[in-house]
Amino acid sequence: MLRAALGSARVLLLPRRGGSGAQRGLRWRQPQQRRAVSEAAAHPGAVAPPVPGPAAERLVGRWLLVCSGAVAGAVVLGGVTRLTESGLSMVDWHLVREMKPPQTQQEWETEFQKYQQFPEFKILNHDMTLREFKFIWYMEYSHRMWGRVVGLAYVLPAVYFWRKGWLSHPMKGRVLALCGLVCFQGLLGWYMVKSGLEEKPDSHDIPRVSQYRLAAHLGSALVLYCASLWSGLSLLLPQHKLPETYQLLRLRRFAHGTTGLIFLTALSGAFVAGLDAGLVYNSFPKMGERWIPDDLLSFSPVLKNIFENPTTVQFNHRILGITSVTAITALYLLSRKIPLPRRTKIAVASLMAVAYMQVGLGISTLLLYVPTPLAATHQSGSLALLTVALWLMNELRRVPK
């Protein structure tokens, strides 16, 4: 049994190219493959579980990257839907039935009449024509259909790879979590939309979805995106065998903290969008004529300002953005003092470039009163910045012993 188990794992050992004498040896391709052989040696009577080969791992990695790209597309499309105020045009939710759009004039009239019963039409769009309604309806419809495509992109290949035995034991748990998060994301999206369809007699504000639910919807999408991207990169990019020096450890920790800061800044953008806080103070670097506006803490209790006061929400987003680009600049300067592989240096330089581009987009969006194309580009830029930060983290990850 032991001989059979070790023989099945022999393909996992590859000779190093080049070198001579002490430099010649054997290296393991993946940590889970090393664990599989060690378990087989420790339990001679047990049958070793199948270990995915390199080709299978590359295929799974590419699939996860495609899935992360699909999630990114959903986030961008959702941002455009929000910017065009189209998110409340579909007033009910059906998993299958709503996949077919209205075909006849009568069906469109019926759909429009349903929309007219809700606050957005009564307060904001009471003079909307059927033609204008079709535009916002198709925007929301596209977002919902893309969400279904994302769900199928996760679930169907996951079932196939599972049956083929191409998923390692740790990857199975990760894939199950990703598929579960996709389903949760769809339900959370409808829960968010419902908040904008409710009648609020005591409110004099325009109908909009809850900024809390919007942030939860965006946050779960970002978690799904980050987890998929990280898993795909981990399978496709070979790890660098970097010397574990104090400088490298400090750079790795700084990169992790900076990525968390970028994530938090992107998440704070959901509150900016949910409260239309980008239209409050359209000046930079000051907010109006002051560095700290008078109405920064005008709500009571004070903590309510952080999530419900448009002035405070915009102020916080500015501070987080400035802090993020400062941290990225410090990370770049710190990396210059450490000998790093060429690919890692490219990741650091790319992070720096995308960060300053994103700052420029954010300031331009603010000064020009949030035009839809520029605002959508700014929202996409946050995803690009988070992507490069995750790439850098992946480059600096520790090689398992």
Side-chain angles (χ1 to χ4, degrees):
M1 284 290 184
L2 176 61
R3 180 181 303 173
L6 293 177
S8 65
R10 191 174 300 158
V11 295
L12 306 178
L13 295 170
L14 295 176
R16 287 181 178 173
R17 295 181 181 179
S20 60
Q23 293 182 345
R24 290 196 181 98
L26 297 173
R27 64 182 176 90
W28 296 97
R29 292 190 63 87
Q30 292 291 345
Q32 62 266 24
Q33 295 169 341
R34 184 162 65 247
R35 285 196 298 269
V37 178
S38 62
E39 290 174 2
H43 305 283
V47 178
V51 178
E57 287 186 341
R58 285 195 298 271
L59 189 58
V60 172
R62 289 167 184 163
W63 162 60
L64 289 171
L65 289 188
V66 169
C67 287
S68 65
V71 174
V75 171
V76 173
L77 186 55
V80 176
T81 302
R82 177 73 187 90
L83 288 166
T84 55
E85 298 180 346
S86 305
L88 300 178
S89 56
M90 297 179 70
V91 296
D92 48 19
W93 188 87
H94 302 282
L95 182 61
V96 177
R97 195 168 66 190
E98 72 178 20
M99 295 178 68
K100 181 183 177 182
Q103 302 292 322
T104 65
Q105 182 70 15
Q106 181 60 41
E107 289 177 348
W108 275 114
E109 292 287 352
T110 302
E111 193 71 24
F112 192 27
Q113 289 171 6
K114 288 194 295 183
Y115 174 69
Q116 292 171 353
Q117 300 171 15
F118 289 87
E120 186 176 68
F121 177 83
K122 295 176 182 179
I123 299 173
L124 190 64
N125 294 332
H126 52 83
D127 57 347
M128 175 175 280
T129 64
L130 179 60
R131 182 177 180 180
E132 293 169 334
F133 171 72
K134 287 182 179 182
F135 172 78
I136 64 172
W137 192 93
Y138 271 120
M139 286 297 303
E140 173 65 8
Y141 175 79
S142 301
H143 183 53
R144 294 192 185 191
M145 292 304 103
W146 188 258
R148 285 163 172 76
V149 170
V150 172
L152 293 176
Y154 274 94
V155 174
L156 295 182
V159 172
Y160 176 77
F161 292 146
W162 194 299
R163 290 178 63 86
K164 294 285 287 186
W166 290 356
L167 301 175
S168 64
H169 183 71
M171 186 57 67
K172 285 181 178 179
R174 197 174 300 179
V175 166
L176 280 177
L178 292 174
C179 292
L181 188 55
V182 168
C183 298
F184 172 75
Q185 175 71 0
L187 296 175
L188 190 57
W190 172 241
Y191 180 65
M192 176 193 70
V193 170
K194 280 185 66 178
S195 66
L197 299 175
E198 298 168 352
E199 296 280 355
K200 300 173 183 176
D202 299 331
S203 175
H204 301 286
D205 200 359
I206 63 173
R208 55 162 62 100
V209 299
S210 164
Q211 69 271 25
Y212 297 103
R213 298 187 191 184
L214 176 61
H217 188 47
L218 175 63
S220 62
L222 292 178
V223 170
L224 178 63
Y225 174 75
C226 292
S228 303
L229 181 64
W230 178 268
S231 300
L233 291 176
S234 299
L235 290 174
L236 293 175
L237 294 181
Q239 290 179 269
H240 301 294
K241 293 187 177 180
L242 302 173
E244 291 293 327
T245 61
Y246 171 75
Q247 290 83 359
L248 179 64
L249 180 61
R250 186 172 63 169
L251 180 66
R252 183 184 292 134
R253 289 175 176 173
F254 202 92
H256 290 183
T258 302
T259 303
L261 187 59
I262 293 169
F263 184 95
L264 184 61
T265 305
L267 190 60
S268 74
F271 288 93
V272 175
L275 293 172
D276 289 329
L279 298 172
V280 179
Y281 286 95
N282 297 94
S283 57
F284 191 87
K286 292 183 178 181
M287 298 182 71
E289 299 298 325
R290 302 175 64 90
W291 290 102
I292 299 178
D294 294 329
D295 57 341
L296 186 67
L297 300 175
S298 60
F299 287 18
S300 181
V302 175
L303 289 178
K304 191 177 181 181
N305 290 277
I306 298 176
F307 303 110
E308 298 184 16
N309 186 343
T311 299
T312 312
V313 166
Q314 188 194 118
F315 181 81
N316 291 341
H317 191 61
R318 290 184 183 215
I319 296 300
L320 285 170
I322 293 170
T323 306
S324 295
V325 76
T326 303
I328 291 169
T329 304
L331 180 66
Y332 175 79
L333 295 176
L334 183 62
S335 70
R336 301 272 293 178
K337 301 177 182 179
I338 304 173
L340 295 172
R342 181 174 178 272
R343 199 175 68 205
T344 308
K345 290 181 179 179
I346 294 174
V348 176
S350 300
L351 183 64
M352 181 86 160
V354 175
Y356 279 91
M357 178 193 71
Q358 177 68 352
V359 169
L361 286 171
I363 295 173
S364 302
T365 302
L366 185 68
L367 296 179
L368 296 174
Y369 292 86
V370 197
T372 298
L374 195 57
T377 306
H378 180 55
Q379 292 179 357
S380 304
S382 65
L383 266 181
L385 188 60
L386 188 58
T387 301
V388 182
L390 286 168
W391 173 29
L392 177 59
M393 276 181 55
N394 200 275
E395 291 289 334
L396 295 174
R397 72 189 189 274
R398 189 191 303 271
V399 178
K401 296 181 180 179

